[in-house]
Each structure stands twice: as C-alpha cells, then as structure tokens.
Amino acid sequence: EAGVGEPVETTRWAERGVGQVRLLVHKGNSGGEGDPAPHPRMVMRVEHVGRLILNEALPPSTAPAVRASDTSIRMVVSAADGPQSFLLRVKTTAEAEQLLARINGIIPKASKQR
C-alpha cells in the first residue's frame, strides 16, 4: 500500500537519578605493549544508593558535548547497541560551563592517518 512504511520508534527522555558525574581517565600510556590506552569513561551512580546509572566510554568518535540550556549539557555517545543521548543537568550556569569544558577536554582527539 502506498504511504505505509516501517514503524518509527520514538524515544523519550527518562530521568535516571541524581548523583555525581565522574570522569575517569587512564593514567598510563597504554594498556600494554602495542595495545592502545583504554578510552576515558563517564560514570555516574545514584546518590546515597550507589546504583550505576551511567557508565560510558568516550572514544575519539564521540561528538563534543554541547549546551542544551543554561544549566544542561547534551551529548551523544556511541554505545555497543547504537548511539545514546544523555542530558546532564546541573544547578548553575558556572557548573554547566565547567562540566562542559571538562567533558570536551577528556574526549580523545582522533589520530590522523596519512
């Protein structure tokens, strides 16, 4: 039939919880001889409970995070099951600026191939 196509999957934002975001960066030069260093990770656990709500690697293919509003940051991370969107909200504009700078500062730069 004309006009009938594949169903479109819609997604909604789901609040996962409140907690502290940790940006983890491997300190060594590499994972071993010839092995690349592990990618930096962004980890977040629910405050007072400890349940893991965010644990994503930030490979060089990760797009830079952007400001969604004065107090929120939006980013897309390539996960094993496809791209995942995250919206991180903070209390103040200054905290948003600081978090944005730190996230974008730890995303590795893609090495140029010759």
Side-chain angles (χ1 to χ4, degrees):
E1 292 179 27
V4 178
E6 295 292 319
V8 176
E9 182 181 327
T10 59
T11 57
R12 293 185 168 187
W13 289 104
E15 186 157 332
R16 301 258 181 110
V18 175
Q20 200 174 52
V21 174
R22 295 183 185 271
L23 301 172
L24 307 176
V25 180
H26 184 71
K27 292 186 182 191
N29 289 340
S30 68
E33 248 185 71
D35 293 335
H39 298 301
R41 300 189 72 76
M42 187 166 47
V43 177
M44 185 175 174
R45 292 184 177 273
V46 175
E47 203 170 66
H48 305 298
V49 177
R51 181 174 51 90
L52 187 65
I53 56 176
L54 177 63
N55 184 13
E56 294 293 336
L58 302 174
S61 61
T62 302
V66 295
R67 293 281 290 273
S69 72
D70 287 344
T71 58
S72 61
I73 295 169
R74 182 174 22 102
M75 62 183 307
V76 178
V77 176
S78 298
D81 56 344
Q84 298 286 324
S85 294
F86 295 99
L87 183 70
L88 305 171
R89 294 186 302 172
V90 296
K91 291 182 181 179
T92 67
T93 303
E95 288 175 342
E97 289 174 10
Q98 185 180 27
L99 181 59
L100 180 66
R102 287 191 178 174
I103 289 172
N104 288 337
I106 68 163
I107 295 173
K109 308 293 184 256
S111 60
K112 294 181 181 179
Q113 299 292 326
R114 290 187 180 194

